[in-house]
Amino acid sequence: MSTITIPSPVPSPANDAESIRKALQGWRADKEALVRILAQRTAAQRSGIRRAYAFLFREPLLNSFRQRLSRQYCPVSLDFWKAIILWTMDPAERDANLVHGALKRMDGDFVSVLVEVACASTPDHLVAVRRAYCSLFACSVEEDLASSSAFEQPLKKMLVSLLSSYRYGGVRVNQEVAKLEATQLSEAIRKKEPHRDEVIRIVSTRSKAQLGATLQRYRDDHHGTDFVQDIDSHCSSQFAKTLKIAVWCLTSPEKHFAEVIRESIAGLGTYEDMLTRAIVSRAEIDMRQIKAEYTVRFKTTVTRDVVDDTSFGYRDLLLALVGSEEEGAENMRRCIPC
């Protein structure tokens, strides 16, 4: 569920565009005003603001932001502008840029970026991402991934399969298929061969509902032991780690993104790009569930950790997207048995 708070009434896109233009004037941009406007608008509303801005000022809004970014030298300001640009983008355009950046840089948690976009999206959104990628970079994401020398088989095969998938989005499941495929997953884990073709096929093609039924059957057959737990216990390869991320993103994305946020701020320093990606990409999807999972697992809140590890405009933008922790606390109470 989204954590974005929309004002009532909502100003017109033209009024918002004029307010943003005013906020960008002068030596220092009014970051507070930018957060107040953009962090309280849906993706459709932000798209309207971009169109109005381009019409009124004969310049794309994102170009205005990038000009500001190019003049900044303070790391906190850089983080703010990078975050506001990602947030203002169309969601499919944003994910296409994240995937392209991951494929070109090949550093940090770039594999996680690919799996998140492939598996934590709806089928139609993933199609939109692939279309946006072709439009922006004049080639397909599958082409760039398949030609990359950074991946070896079978990891490359699984990533290509995940990113090129179009899954059935309904709730219908076949319990006989679930029984058969749970057995296939069990055999692969028992022999420490998670890279088997049937495992790749199951994870990259089955609907989320069907995969959920298969994993439930796996738990039932293994007396409550979870498939992801068995991956951790029996397999340690990069493929196995990526498989775990894929399963979580497909069935319980809040678990994966709670870990991403925690990893980005745990220890010394902050991985701002990782933190930004997790919050910006999930704020309109399931940030409430992520906050509840985060509190249960780490015994603190996303808000508290963001406040402790970020500052100024960057912190204010992230907090606006994270939303009130009272919602997360209520969800947490619902998750804890009486």
Side-chain angles (χ1 to χ4, degrees), residues 34-142:
L34 295 177
V35 170
R36 186 171 61 251
I37 297 167
L38 290 168
Q40 296 185 15
R41 303 293 186 272
T42 65
Q45 291 165 343
R46 298 193 302 275
S47 178
I49 293 170
R50 287 175 62 181
R51 290 193 297 271
Y53 189 96
F55 177 79
L56 290 171
F57 306 111
R58 298 297 184 266
E59 179 184 20
L61 176 56
L62 294 183
N63 283 4
S64 295
F65 288 162
R66 291 186 179 107
Q67 288 174 6
R68 280 283 178 177
L69 173 62
S70 68
R71 295 200 294 265
Q72 299 298 316
Y73 300 98
C74 171
V76 173
S77 290
L78 289 173
D79 295 330
F80 172 82
W81 289 112
K82 284 160 51 174
I84 203 75
I85 287 170
L86 277 180
W87 175 246
T88 308
M89 284 181 176
D90 171 80
E93 177 189 8
R94 176 177 64 227
D95 282 351
N97 275 278
L98 287 172
V99 169
H100 186 260
L103 288 172
K104 295 306 177 185
R105 288 195 304 268
M106 300 297 182
D107 58 4
D109 61 338
F110 68 96
V111 174
S112 292
V113 176
L114 305 180
V115 178
E116 288 167 10
V117 172
C119 300
S121 303
T122 65
D124 288 340
H125 178 73
L126 182 54
V127 170
V129 172
R130 296 206 297 264
R131 288 174 177 165
Y133 195 99
C134 288
S135 176
L136 290 167
F137 307 114
C139 66
S140 71
V141 61
E142 297 93 336

Side-chain angles (χ1 to χ4, degrees), residues 246-263:
V247 170
W248 265 3
C249 285
L250 286 164
T251 61
S252 306
E254 69 278 1
K255 294 181 179 179
H256 169 71
F257 286 101
E259 281 204 352
V260 171
I261 293 173
R262 186 64 174 181
E263 182 180 350

Side-chain angles (χ1 to χ4, degrees), residues 205-268:
T205 65
R206 291 303 186 193
S207 71
K208 295 181 180 182
Q210 183 66 49
L211 184 60
T214 297
L215 297 179
Q216 181 58 56
R217 183 58 187 251
Y218 185 100
R219 283 190 292 271
D220 293 344
D221 291 346
H222 290 77
H223 309 289
T225 302
D226 187 83
F227 178 62
V228 169
Q229 291 175 324
D230 281 348
I231 293 175
D232 281 340
S233 300
H234 301 291
C235 310
S236 59
S237 64
Q238 178 63 52
F239 181 94
K241 294 176 182 177
T242 305
L243 178 62
K244 169 187 171 181
I245 295 172
V247 170
W248 265 3
C249 285
L250 286 164
T251 61
S252 306
E254 69 278 1
K255 294 181 179 179
H256 169 71
F257 286 101
E259 281 204 352
V260 171
I261 293 173
R262 186 64 174 181
E263 182 180 350
S264 71
I265 59 180
L268 296 176

